[in-house]
Amino acid sequence: LRSVLRVRNGEFNSVSTLNFLKVEEDVKYKEVTYGSLTLSVPRDIRDNHHDVCLHMATVVYPSTDGFLDAGDVVYCHHFLTHKDNERLIFGDTVYSMRTDEIYLKIIDSEIHMLPDWILVEQAFDEIPQSASGLYLQSEPDEKTNMGYIRHVHPDKDIKPGSMVSFRKNSEYTLMVNDKLYYRMKYEDLESILT
């Protein structure tokens, strides 16, 4: 997929489904502490752990598909800062990302999902308890493939708060506004339970 930039009324826009995103320099690094030593280390795109990989960026040049505007803060695929996506445009380092690899945008601190994506909060199996109410283990035996819809595009026929089941291995952790969710495609839902 190739993309070009065009000028209209003195503004630059990308002509394709590619968006060009800017990542703040301090976000590219994570502070890691070892004993009394604190280091700033690059976030590694090969590490899928939500705490390490980079998902957040600002749209600089939106695509022509109409989903995003310049200045939108978005969450997208963790390959965002991969060297193959890096471009130098007018002296600025930006990263190209297709719209279908962008999950959501933040407007006034609120999450707005793009059409194909949902955020689910995981539901856990009950932790076994004794007759007197003491917990018999510290965590559930295993995670379930069930959760509660927390954020969904308004065009979808499911509402936030609905309990759902989803395909195994379709979930991917994503930290948004300091809360951990599963990010998945709407098509990965198997059933609406409540």
Side-chain angles (χ1 to χ4, degrees), residues 143-190:
K143 70 177 189 170
T144 65
N145 285 356
M146 295 186 302
Y148 297 95
I149 298 289
R150 293 301 179 220
H151 299 279
V152 61
H153 192 272
D155 289 350
K156 299 299 180 192
D157 59 351
I158 191 167
K159 302 292 179 221
S162 300
M163 186 175 205
V164 295
S165 65
F166 48 86
R167 289 187 197 136
K168 185 176 182 179
N169 299 322
S170 64
E171 74 281 7
Y172 180 92
T173 57
L174 183 67
M175 184 74 78
V176 181
N177 291 348
D178 297 321
K179 186 162 175 69
L180 186 63
Y181 297 99
Y182 281 152
R183 177 274 304 151
M184 65 187 72
K185 286 198 167 250
Y186 181 78
E187 66 194 35
D188 291 324
L189 295 180
E190 292 181 322

Side-chain angles (χ1 to χ4, degrees), residues 44-62:
D44 188 348
I45 62 165
R46 293 165 301 220
D47 190 335
N48 284 340
H49 193 269
H50 65 84
D51 212 18
V52 178
C53 59
L54 183 61
H55 296 280
M56 189 175 71
T58 302
V59 176
V60 181
Y61 306 111

